[in-house]
Amino acid sequence: MQLLRAPCWYHLSFQSCKSPSITTLLSPAKCLHLSSINCSLQPSKLGNSIWVSHKPSNFSCASTNAASVEAGGSAASAGTAENDVLTALSQIIDPDFGTDIVSCGFVKDMCIDEALGEVSFRLELTTPACPIKDMFEQRANEVVAALPWVKKVNVTMSAQPAAPIFSEQLPAGLQKISSIIAVSSCKGGVGKSTVAVNLAYTLAGMGARVGIFDADVYGPSLPTMVSPENRLLEMNPEKRTIIPTEYLGVKLVSFGFAGQGRAIMRGPMVSGVINQLLTTTEWGELDYLVIDMPPGTGDIQLTLCQVVPLTAAVIVTTPQKLAFIDVAKGVRMFSKLKVPCVAVVENMCHFDADGKRYYPFGRGSGSQVVQQFGIPHLFDLPIQPTLSASGDTGMPEVVADPQGEVANTFQDLGVCVVQQCAKIRQQVSTAVTYDKSIKAIKVKVPHSDEEFFLHPATVRRNDRSAQSVDEWTGEQKLQYTDVPEDIEPEEIRPMGNYAASITWPDGFSQIAPYDQLQTMERLVDASQPTPVQA
């Protein structure tokens, strides 16, 4: 088995600061390793070949499974009734995960009184902002009520947000945030802050717990766009943490609330301030943290992408060609950092007058971003005086006019973000797993239909860290014979959208980027006939 050599890969990050001052600066520190929940190991039946492929396990959206079917004795009837109900509910497919709600683990606390024909259960979703929760409730009532022996159905709805994929080694303030959304344009003046604020309040209106982080130190917009009663951030002197302010139930942090106004400082100093504001804030439990990114693709943006595990990005642009040029740089930056861009918002597209629609800045910038970079969703915002006025008065437009055209567009954007984040979480959590029955590492890279298997020893031998390869000379320090052929990983955890962290029996934690895993020698099924060359 040949030892493959992959390009050198570096993991850069920064360490949080414990200073009690809000504006105390940070300097780069040692690498911060992100970790997450254990990958579940799903064994498959062992065949007569080297390995047998198997379908990936259904994504578990809850911590407990649906009621099991008992057999034998007096429990037979109850078991049959439960089976009938679960079979009926399995007709309901979650469009985000592509599987039924029973397999997803949504069905909880089932109680059946077959004598009275009464069935009650709870559907526990992964986010309170689920856009189709009403559909789930209605369909669950319909399919169970259709059973011949059922006379009454009682369905209750609840939500238990999925645990953050990263938690253990993150700063304490970020450990209870399920998804972090970056709103970026890489160009000033396109309405990025307007989109960030209105998206946040749309998600909050859908029932989610939301926070906003204004990452623009040079010109913070949040203090103008919202009107919290307390306009100064407070410090917790014991924990040396920042307590965010709130407005209409959304938690807010901005340098503009630090009593400093707009900053005059160099880039590294700004990166330190942003790092401290973000990582030492007591965000608490949030379903979504929306980050209003500053313009550009420099040190500040890279710091944010490295310090926090961004779930996804929303790109904001305007119809002009100049806007597209700058936005394209931002999309490429997120692509290199393995942060998926899930939607494009084209602001100031058009206005209606005299029964006609006018496009004063031209057309096509947003569509060009979608087509060139394969971003699946495009949303248009009109030139509307109330949208601009709401940003100046401190009342977000989606709150001021929840039934208006702009609010409807943001509602569609909010649904898109919720659905895409759910898909990303599923893909990341099952990207790299270990099948003990065939002693192989299964890889299915996010946003790819390809699935393949790797020998654990091959993965271990291809480690490119400083412990295995001399960083200066490129000399191979880890020798082929140093890794036993029967080595097995003890734990596999996702690391963002770009890599997996694999812990080996000797205690070594290997960072395996998806790009590198795709270049390694793969296992093949020896039972499959080899095509005969003509």
Side-chain angles (χ1 to χ4, degrees):
M1 188 176 296
Q2 183 181 2
L3 179 65
L4 302 178
R5 299 181 66 87
C8 186
W9 179 82
Y10 300 90
H11 177 61
L12 304 177
S13 188
F14 298 94
Q15 182 175 337
S16 63
C17 178
K18 298 299 184 181
S19 169
S21 170
I22 293 178
T23 55
T24 298
L25 307 178
L26 294 177
S27 57
K30 295 182 179 179
C31 172
L32 175 66
H33 292 283
L34 307 178
S35 60
S36 66
I37 56 175
N38 299 343
C39 289
S40 58
L41 304 177
Q42 297 290 340
S44 62
K45 294 182 179 179
L46 191 61
N48 296 322
S49 56
I50 295 178
W51 58 269
V52 289
S53 62
H54 64 287
K55 295 181 180 180
S57 59
N58 290 324
F59 177 69
S60 179
C61 305
S63 58
T64 57
N65 295 325
S68 60
V69 180
E70 298 180 6
S74 60
S77 177
T80 302
E82 289 179 358
N83 188 57
D84 288 346
V85 174
L86 293 176
T87 301
L89 291 173
S90 65
Q91 302 175 53
I92 306 173
I93 305 299
D94 186 306
D96 296 332
F97 301 143
T99 189
D100 63 271
I101 62 173
V102 176
S103 299
C104 281
F106 290 168
V107 183
K108 307 286 184 181
D109 303 335
M110 183 179 294
C111 183
I112 297 176
D113 189 331
E114 195 172 1
L116 298 177
E118 295 183 357
V119 178
S120 63
F121 54 89
R122 177 168 56 91
L123 293 183
E124 184 178 85
L125 307 181
T126 58
T127 172
C130 178
I132 53 174
K133 54 188 175 186
D134 292 338
M135 183 274 285
F136 279 147
E137 183 176 6
Q138 178 182 348
R139 287 283 294 140
N141 271 292
E142 291 174 351
V143 297
V144 176
L147 294 173
W149 56 271
V150 174
K151 299 178 181 179
K152 182 179 180 181
V153 182
N154 180 26
V155 182
T156 56
M157 305 296 294
S158 66
Q160 179 62 44
I165 294 180
F166 319 91
S167 60
E168 292 182 2
Q169 297 184 29
L170 282 177
L174 301 178
Q175 291 182 0
K176 297 181 180 180
I177 300 175
S178 295
S179 299
I180 302 179
I181 313 300
V183 178
S184 175
S185 66
C186 299
K187 180 176 179 61
V190 299
K192 169 180 51 57
S193 297
T194 298
V195 171
V197 170
N198 282 278
L199 171 60
Y201 279 92
T202 298
L203 294 172
M206 295 169 66
R209 298 165 298 181
V210 184
I212 306 176
F213 179 70
D214 183 357
D216 194 344
V217 171
Y218 292 120
S221 303
L222 198 57
T224 303
M225 304 191 71
V226 295
S227 305
E229 183 177 346
N230 184 3
R231 300 187 65 83
L232 285 176
L233 297 174
E234 298 180 359
M235 295 292 297
N236 184 326
E238 296 181 358
K239 298 181 180 179
R240 294 185 177 182
T241 54
I242 300 169
I243 303 174
T245 187
E246 289 191 22
Y247 178 61
L248 300 178
V250 175
K251 295 182 178 181
L252 314 168
V253 171
S254 170
F255 189 72
F257 292 138
Q260 301 293 326
R262 288 165 171 77
I264 302 176
M265 60 182 75
R266 296 186 182 274
M269 300 170 65
V270 174
S271 297
V273 170
I274 289 176
N275 193 348
Q276 184 181 2
L277 283 173
L278 180 59
T279 61
T280 63
T281 293
E282 295 181 15
W283 291 106
E285 293 186 357
L286 293 180
D287 299 303
Y288 304 96
L289 175 62
V290 178
I291 298 183
D292 182 6
M293 299 281 285
T297 55
D299 181 67
I300 300 171
Q301 290 75 20
L302 293 175
T303 297
L304 282 168
C305 292
Q306 291 165 349
V307 168
V308 299
L310 295 177
T311 307
V314 173
I315 305 299
V316 183
T317 185
T318 51
Q320 300 96 324
K321 182 179 180 180
L322 185 60
F324 169 77
I325 294 173
D326 287 342
V327 166
K329 296 178 183 177
V331 175
R332 293 190 184 99
M333 176 191 73
F334 285 122
S335 177
K336 289 182 178 180
L337 296 170
K338 306 301 181 184
V339 178
C341 298
V342 297
V344 175
V345 178
E346 188 172 17
N347 194 20
M348 297 181 279
C349 286
H350 55 78
F351 68 89
D352 297 330
D354 302 325
K356 297 181 180 179
R357 176 158 290 184
Y358 298 90
Y359 298 85
F361 302 121
R363 306 175 67 176
S365 173
S367 300
Q368 192 173 357
V369 174
V370 169
Q371 294 171 4
Q372 181 166 332
F373 298 102
I375 301 174
H377 303 96
L378 174 64
F379 301 89
D380 297 338
L381 286 175
I383 300 174
Q384 189 164 315
T386 57
L387 182 57
S388 176
S390 64
D392 295 335
T393 59
M395 175 72 72
E397 174 71 2
V398 297
V399 177
D401 185 13
Q403 303 300 323
E405 177 186 0
V406 170
N408 289 335
T409 300
F410 275 106
Q411 183 71 24
D412 293 338
L413 175 61
V415 169
C416 170
V417 167
V418 169
Q419 293 176 334
Q420 293 300 312
C421 285
K423 290 180 180 179
I424 291 169
R425 293 179 61 85
Q426 178 199 17
Q427 292 172 342
V428 169
S429 64
T430 58
V432 182
T433 56
Y434 182 62
D435 192 325
K436 285 188 175 182
S437 66
I438 58 176
K439 299 185 183 302
I441 293 176
K442 185 182 74 172
V443 181
K444 190 176 188 302
V445 176
H447 309 292
S448 172
D449 294 330
E450 183 183 28
E451 180 181 297
F452 56 91
F453 289 79
L454 300 173
H455 194 287
T458 300
V459 176
R460 179 66 181 89
R461 289 165 180 153
N462 275 271
D463 176 56
R464 306 302 300 168
S465 70
Q467 295 190 37
S468 302
V469 179
D470 189 289
E471 294 181 283
W472 297 103
T473 66
E475 178 185 357
Q476 187 72 39
K477 296 161 62 176
L478 177 68
Q479 300 303 312
Y480 185 93
T481 54
D482 293 340
V483 180
E485 202 65 28
D486 60 350
I487 191 171
E488 295 185 64
E490 289 190 342
E491 189 175 54
I492 300 179
R493 301 180 178 185
M495 265 190 85
N497 301 309
Y498 59 90
S501 173
I502 306 175
T503 302
W504 299 99
D506 59 0
F508 178 71
S509 181
Q510 177 181 354
I511 307 302
Y514 300 150
D515 290 347
Q516 183 188 5
L517 292 175
Q518 289 176 304
T519 67
M520 295 182 188
E521 183 180 1
R522 303 179 182 183
L523 291 173
V524 294
D525 190 343
S527 66
Q528 296 298 324
T530 304
V532 179
Q533 298 294 332

